Amino acid sequence: MDFFFNLPLWVQISLKGLAAIAVIFPIAGACSLAERKVSAWIQGRPGPSRALPFWIAWVPVIAPIMQKLGLFHLMADGGKLLFKEDPIPGHVNKFYFVLAPIVAVIPALTTIVFVPFGGYIDQAGQIIPLILANLDIGLLGVFAISSLGVYSLILAGWASNSKYPFLGGVRASAQLISYELSMTLSVLPVFLWINAPGQPGTLSLAKVVEFQSQPGFWGGAWFVFLMPISAFVFLVALFAETNRQPFDMPESEADLVGGFHTEYGSFKWSLFFVAEYAHMTVGSGIFVLLFLGGWNPLPWVPLEMVVGWLSGLGAWATHPAFVGVLSVLIFLAKVLFFIFFFMWVRWTLPRFRYDQVMKIGWQKLLPLAIANVIVYAIAIAFID
Amino acid sequence: MSDTYFYIFAAITVASALAVVFKRNTVGASLAFLLSLCGVAGLFLQLDAQLLAVLLVLVYAGAVVALFLFIIMLLNMQGGDRPVFKKMTIVSSTIAGALLLTGVYLLAKRPELARLPEAGQPASVLLDLKIYGAKLFTTYLLPVQVVGFLLLIAMLGVIVLSKKFEGLEDVK
Amino acid sequence: MAVIEVERKPLTLAERTYIPQILSGLKTTWKHLVAPTVTMKYPEERPPIPPGYRGVPTLVKDPNGREKCVSCQLCEFVCPPKAIRITPGEIPPDSEYAHVEKAPQEFEIDMLRCIYCGLCQEVCPEEAIWLQTQYSTSGYTRAEMVNNKKKLYELGGTLPDQHFKWDKKKAAEEHGNVH
């Protein structure tokens, strides 16, 4: 432990960043397998359940379970995508064609620095959030960086120099801009609520969680109960921003072949998907932090209370390492549920038509978000 | 160290701003503009203006340039073979550039500049945002309203110019 | 004209928000998610074959081990995709089955052409060609996909026979009342 803190600052920061990437990258990769499995179960199929490498086949109980869950298909898929030939079609704009997947991955993995993914309790009983960059601008940072992700789709669509990817790129740019407005407006009530007059203003996500873990009925209530409309608008906009069904206009296999990634293959193609799943993971994380109490296990049951109960069992329960791991696990469980929810919705709903997407974004969601902000602004003004 | 960062970001900003002007490929020019904005955001970060940097990236880099690209792609604008600069453009831009440089030079030579108070850290970084908002809605309310009004006029102008008012002779 | 005008009701507010529909859809998919899978793991589990199934056409022998085909070539003529090719041959006079008219010298069914229509089975006067239960054929070359006579009998095996037509005919001949 001391060894770590004696390292130069930039080494510490890089190590922390690499650790966070080492978590989110496999999650994003595993999501592709989860997607296959969830789609299979919903359609009454067993899904991928064949691959079994010989060096683990002899293990009695675990190996068949892993085989049935298709865990080795993840390795097989990854290996295939890494090693198969990576063609660049002759008619593309090579520089931007190669740039697009890189631009896709960088913002997707960078946003994680603004997301607090757990917390521990220090000696003073204060919750210290586990976060890579504890900036005041937290949420704005996430929005800013993730809004750069749209360029990968636009670039990919444009550089492919063919019709369907081009249409996908045009759709992506219009759709992502449209829903960004509703998304930003939908979180305003949350920050109006926590930035009550007389307190220091903040956009930090950790503060939002802190606010949801106060004692009392109103303090302990998660914001999803206090502001259901905000949560709903945010969730719908999140679906649109991450290009998930029913909003996956840029891809829409039915009418655009593969959309922006039609001309891509093997590793570059897989990078787009890692980026999409990473966006999904971070987006679900932010939804959990804003509206579902972050690392608090249940509404009206904050983490401190659980640690208080456990501390009767021994001193280990209050150790920062234990509390930190516990909070990260609770948070991850909620995020994973949301990733599952994304997939569940994907395999339930048909895709909207493009004009419907625009109509919902501008004529339904945006007025709803604005009305929501006004109502909460008035209500908060009256309460204060 | 911070000097090095300044030079890096300044070089990115200036080089990509030049690329915006000289690139013939419209999409490439827009992307150079994006890079230039990111460089400016980096410079803002150097000045501890995190909010400004983030808003610049969020609004300009995230949305405005994406809109530019959307329009370019929608209208399928190509650079074409026309000369980059017409004679008129060269003359006018030279004059404008000279004026701008003179203005910057005069501003830099002003004696007050040397005596500007240290910007100093805000009392707390956490207070930054709130102070910013409060200033915007009290001290600088008039400029905000004026800018908003300007945008409204621009929007109305676009609607009038682009919409075909059939059967409405008086509007024409 | 039997046209029934159905009055189209305007959508209610709940229907226009689309949310109850989404929730009921999610409920449906959830039911399928927890329900057991309906697919079968094919090479390990095989589907039950219903009676009357038309699988790969095969040639069969009668219970005495005699090949039933008499190479009348009706199946060859009736076969819509012309998958069957028969080379007729004589039965040597010293054979046990010399009383039978003829036998195929070679009998080939091209499984790349066969459309499993079952006309050959229907037309066969000797009940010698049967579409049985095998449904999966594969091979690496085109030549491999042509079933020759040996292969056809291997696939067909022996089927029970009610008539023993040629034995009856021989017995009648020996009793002298050939009609």
Side-chain angles (χ1 to χ4, degrees):
Chain A
M1 214 54 176
D2 291 334
F3 170 72
F4 179 77
F5 288 114
N6 288 335
L7 288 170
L9 185 65
W10 67 271
V11 177
Q12 281 188 35
I13 291 173
S14 330
L15 280 177
K16 280 186 196 167
L18 283 178
I21 287 175
V23 172
I24 196 166
F25 204 90
I27 285 183
C31 280
S32 67
L33 175 73
E35 183 97 62
R36 289 173 70 185
K37 270 310 220 193
V38 170
S39 73
W41 289 331
I42 283 178
Q43 294 165 356
R45 297 181 284 122
S49 59
R50 291 292 167 127
L52 185 64
F54 65 91
W55 42 262
I56 204 159
W58 56 271
V59 183
V61 181
I62 302 162
I65 291 175
M66 288 170 91
Q67 185 193 20
K68 225 176 160 200
L69 285 175
L71 293 183
F72 302 108
H73 282 268
L74 186 60
M75 291 159 51
D77 279 353
K80 181 198 80 173
L81 290 169
L82 260 178
F83 293 116
K84 77 188 271 194
E85 189 191 351
D86 193 357
I88 297 183
H91 54 78
V92 302
N93 187 331
K94 286 216 176 50
F95 177 70
Y96 294 119
F97 188 79
V98 177
L99 190 67
I102 301 172
V103 173
V105 173
I106 291 174
L109 293 182
T110 311
T111 41
I112 189 73
V113 302
F114 296 112
V115 179
F117 39 81
Y120 63 90
I121 300 170
D122 67 356
Q123 260 84 27
Q126 218 50 23
I127 284 239
I128 309 293
L130 295 170
I131 183 171
L132 291 177
N134 197 358
L135 293 177
D136 178 39
I137 48 174
L139 188 68
L140 269 184
V142 175
F143 282 162
I145 305 282
S146 67
S147 71
L148 293 180
V150 64
Y151 290 107
S152 74
L153 309 192
I154 298 177
L155 271 185
W158 178 74
S160 294
N161 199 11
S162 83
K163 288 196 177 82
Y164 290 127
F166 185 74
L167 281 173
V170 172
R171 285 180 177 191
S173 54
Q175 177 186 329
L176 267 66
I177 293 169
S178 311
Y179 282 81
E180 221 168 65
L181 285 172
S182 314
M183 195 180 210
T184 319
L185 282 176
S186 71
V187 298
L188 276 186
V190 174
F191 287 98
L192 285 179
W193 184 256
I194 70 165
N195 286 315
Q199 284 176 343
T202 181
L203 280 177
S204 158
L205 287 163
K207 281 280 186 303
V208 181
V209 178
E210 211 173 274
F211 220 82
Q212 294 176 73
S213 31
Q214 288 172 348
F217 180 78
W218 291 109
W222 291 354
F223 284 138
V224 71
F225 302 118
L226 294 181
M227 306 166 183
I229 306 276
S230 285
F232 174 72
V233 173
F234 187 83
L235 192 62
V236 173
L238 191 63
F239 269 88
E241 287 287 304
T242 49
N243 297 322
R244 293 292 299 183
Q245 225 115 342
F247 294 101
D248 67 337
M249 285 300 115
E251 282 167 55
S252 55
E253 301 89 350
D255 43 343
L256 293 188
V257 187
F260 65 94
H261 59 69
T262 306
E263 306 284 347
Y264 282 85
S266 74
F267 194 59
K268 291 209 260 308
W269 178 85
S270 68
L271 282 184
F272 281 120
F273 277 81
V274 168
E276 182 184 318
Y277 286 121
H279 271 304
M280 231 166 88
T281 314
V282 173
S284 330
I286 288 169
F287 186 84
V288 167
L289 289 168
L290 285 178
F291 296 108
L292 288 181
W295 45 81
N296 295 320
L298 286 170
W300 297 288
V301 182
L303 182 70
E304 293 94 324
M305 202 186 274
V306 174
V307 173
W309 294 338
L310 287 176
S311 63
L313 298 175
W316 49 267
T318 48
H319 192 272
F322 173 76
V323 178
V325 169
L326 183 70
S327 64
V328 171
L329 285 182
I330 291 170
F331 179 65
L332 264 186
K334 288 183 188 177
V335 170
L336 289 181
F337 170 76
F338 255 89
I339 292 173
F340 166 73
F341 181 72
F342 269 94
M343 293 171 183
W344 187 12
V345 168
R346 169 169 180 186
W347 296 101
T348 302
L349 296 183
R351 181 181 297 122
F352 286 126
R353 238 171 27 224
Y354 188 64
D355 61 318
Q356 290 173 328
V357 168
M358 285 292 122
K359 216 174 203 169
I360 293 170
W362 287 105
Q363 296 186 357
K364 305 270 162 66
L365 220 52
L366 190 59
L368 186 64
I370 293 174
N372 185 45
V373 170
I374 293 172
V375 167
Y376 275 100
I378 293 170
I380 289 166
F382 268 113
I383 290 172
D384 287 328
Chain B
M1 194 65 181
S2 66
D3 274 358
T4 325
Y5 284 132
F6 172 78
Y7 286 125
I8 292 171
F9 284 126
I12 290 174
T13 310
V14 173
S16 48
L18 285 176
V20 177
V21 180
F22 288 109
K23 247 180 138 47
R24 296 207 133 192
N25 184 337
T26 41
V27 174
S30 317
L31 290 169
F33 183 39
L34 174 65
L35 198 60
S36 174
L37 286 171
C38 291
V40 175
L43 288 178
F44 281 150
L45 276 183
Q46 285 286 295
L47 298 170
D48 281 332
Q50 293 161 353
L51 186 70
L52 214 51
V54 165
L55 284 180
L56 189 77
V57 172
L58 180 64
V59 176
Y60 280 92
V64 173
V65 178
L67 265 183
F68 283 179
L69 280 170
F70 175 69
I71 299 298
I72 289 168
M73 282 161 68
L74 195 70
L75 302 182
N76 203 9
M77 285 190 223
Q78 297 297 332
D81 292 330
R82 64 185 174 75
V84 182
F85 300 116
K86 279 185 249 167
K87 202 184 270 172
M88 196 59 205
T89 328
I90 296 174
V91 172
S92 55
S93 54
T94 313
I95 295 172
L99 282 175
L100 182 70
L101 278 180
T102 322
V104 170
Y105 176 75
L106 289 178
L107 197 68
K109 288 296 278 183
R110 269 172 76 172
E112 289 92 341
L113 210 61
R115 289 187 276 105
L116 271 184
E118 279 285 306
Q121 293 287 331
S124 152
V125 184
L126 288 175
L127 283 169
D128 194 20
L129 191 64
K130 213 157 191 187
I131 293 170
Y132 190 87
K135 288 261 182 214
L136 215 55
F137 281 97
T138 52
T139 320
Y140 300 105
L141 187 59
L142 185 66
V144 169
Q145 292 295 329
V146 170
V147 169
F149 194 62
L150 194 69
L151 284 176
L152 182 68
I153 292 169
M155 213 159 79
L156 286 176
V158 168
I159 291 170
V160 169
L161 284 179
S162 61
K163 191 148 180 139
K164 292 180 184 68
F165 293 97
E166 274 152 22
L168 286 175
E169 287 304 314
D170 53 330
V171 178
K172 281 178 190 168
Chain C
M1 289 292 281
V3 175
I4 301 167
E5 287 278 338
V6 179
E7 196 192 339
R8 199 165 276 233
K9 286 181 198 142
L11 296 177
T12 61
L13 180 69
E15 277 168 339
R16 268 183 289 143
T17 59
Y18 196 35
I19 295 164
Q21 279 69 33
I22 291 177
L23 291 180
S24 71
L26 287 176
K27 202 175 124 203
T28 308
T29 41
W30 178 260
K31 267 186 216 152
H32 284 277
L33 185 83
V34 291
T37 56
V38 294
T39 50
M40 73 181 41
K41 300 193 169 174
Y42 166 62
E44 293 95 34
E45 299 167 24
R46 302 252 170 173
I49 306 288
Y53 185 81
R54 296 204 300 255
V56 173
T58 60
L59 291 177
V60 298
K61 295 182 172 170
D62 77 354
N64 299 331
R66 180 184 67 81
E67 57 176 322
K68 292 174 86 173
C69 175
V70 295
S71 68
C72 66
Q73 292 178 294
L74 272 178
C75 51
E76 187 174 351
F77 293 131
V78 81
C79 183
K82 301 196 190 309
I84 302 178
R85 178 135 311 196
I86 301 171
T87 316
E90 295 297 328
I91 296 173
D94 56 335
S95 161
E96 187 192 342
Y97 304 117
H99 59 286
V100 180
E101 207 161 291
K102 273 193 294 185
Q105 192 183 350
E106 189 44 79
F107 198 116
E108 283 176 345
I109 302 181
D110 188 347
M111 291 317 296
L112 293 173
R113 306 194 74 161
C114 178
I115 56 170
Y116 300 84
C117 60
L119 285 182
C120 47
Q121 178 183 351
E122 248 175 71
V123 83
C124 185
E126 301 287 329
E127 297 185 354
I129 188 163
W130 286 82
L131 271 70
Q132 294 195 37
T133 55
Q134 204 207 331
Y135 49 83
S136 151
T137 50
S138 59
Y140 289 103
T141 59
R142 283 174 174 273
E144 233 174 286
M145 294 302 288
V146 179
N147 287 341
N148 59 16
K149 189 174 150 185
K150 186 163 163 271
K151 183 86 187 289
L152 287 170
Y153 278 116
E154 254 172 43
L155 289 170
T158 304
L159 282 188
D161 190 339
Q162 279 100 45
H163 315 301
F164 294 104
K165 169 180 162 188
W166 290 98
D167 290 352
K168 282 179 192 162
K169 200 169 179 184
K170 190 181 175 190
E173 220 168 47
E174 277 160 12
H175 285 92
N177 56 350
V178 186
H179 47 80

